Amino acid sequence: MARGVCRDLVQRLDLRDPELLRHPSHHACEGAHGPRRPHVSVQTWVGALAMGMIFFCSPVVSMFTDHFGCRKTAVSGAALAFIGLLSTSFANSLILRYFTYGILFGCGSSFAFQPSLVILGHYFRQRLGLANGVVTAGASLFSMGLPVLLDKVVEPLGLSRTFQILSLFMLVQALLALTFIPLLPSGGAMGPPAMGPGQAESQTQAAVQAGSKWGKVVARIRKYFNLRVFHIVTYRVWAFGVATAVLGYFVPYVHLINFAKEQFKENEKEWVLLVCIGASSGVGRLAFGKIGDLIPGLKKIYMQVVSFMALGLMSMMIPQCAAFEGLVVVCAFLGLCDGCFLTMMAPIAFELVGPMQASQAIGYLLGLMSLPMTAGPPIAGLLHDYFGNYTVAFSLAGVPPMVGGVVLFFVPLIHRRLQRGQAPPEDTTAYMLPAALPAGEAKSCSNGDILPGYTDVETHI
């Protein structure tokens, strides 16, 4: 919900409303003929910062999820997002909205969004793709309904009232996050597949018994913030490919409305494009989630390869649309690509690193995505300001997804090459809910060796 609200606000709302143009801190926006509209690149930084914060905070969110659990992390994030949206409604300057909307709301959305992906691993194994598709399809429903709501509300009520109304959705999300009850492992093989409970416990204790305060501090940091997922070559290649692709991934979503207003000035139904993207994305998440469950192992990555290639091509075709109906068709394909990419993210992470380290894998991946994702829309805005249209911006935005798709194509090939000459890998999903420990034996696990989102704080459940 939080991610859907954030992206749809980026697409639909102009955060530089007329009230801000009259604020003393923005006299630079006044020209010889009165207030003039700010550059597109300036406008997009507020929304791009919020989207970037969702992913930039993800490594820290992984640490909080493993330490405090999915439920407490998600509830706290939704509460922070509520404060961000509510305070944005009272902000009287663009600089203040950079903080309230871009940072507070973006950071809160990150803490609310990632646990919703991790918690699914507690309940599903064979149908994880479909479950992830059903859950993320909820954001698509928001993407369909929110543009219509904003179109009816913004004009009569104003931007401030609109933010206050949307902040109530974050309170609803905080209540829904209370249902994130992990299926806690009752003990047993808490470490990797070849490691028994005694080995996992001794490994953690050996790190703590360093003899000095510095050694204990380092051991504690490594316990909650480990980098073992980067020791896996296929994960490194996959993360690099995805991070490359998202440099142009969000450019069409952020600038689509402005493009439609410039290209089709007589058409006042730009919200139809967002509804189309939301509907097709929801269908794609459900369909590709089911299809992903039928594709074994890392072959699921080929679905992301196709989605990135198609998304890059669609981005290049946007400036070529001479009719509004053609743009609607392109938006339908953009939604399908979005649904495929997002639905397969968590299942692929589980395949690459196993369920015990999936929380860290997803967190680091989203963190790597943050910088290119934040920079992409403003760069496209600068290109628009320089050339006076979106032709170059959308054409260049299609290149990074295609490059990322080429990189992802080699991940299954590298995986098969690494497995040649090795023993057949053990099925890591069998350890998602480990066996019970002997009575009275204590649990002691390091981050990444336990079920994602598991925490001793919630053992009373």
Side-chain angles (χ1 to χ4, degrees), residues 152-173:
K152 301 295 183 181
V153 170
V154 173
E155 293 297 333
L157 298 183
L159 193 59
S160 296
R161 292 287 185 182
T162 302
F163 275 118
Q164 294 172 9
I165 294 174
L166 293 177
S167 66
L168 298 178
F169 288 113
M170 297 298 103
L171 286 182
V172 174
Q173 179 160 345

Side-chain angles (χ1 to χ4, degrees), residues 192-211:
M195 182 183 295
Q199 291 174 288
E201 182 176 356
S202 62
Q203 185 186 57
T204 303
Q205 291 177 349
V208 175
Q209 295 172 354

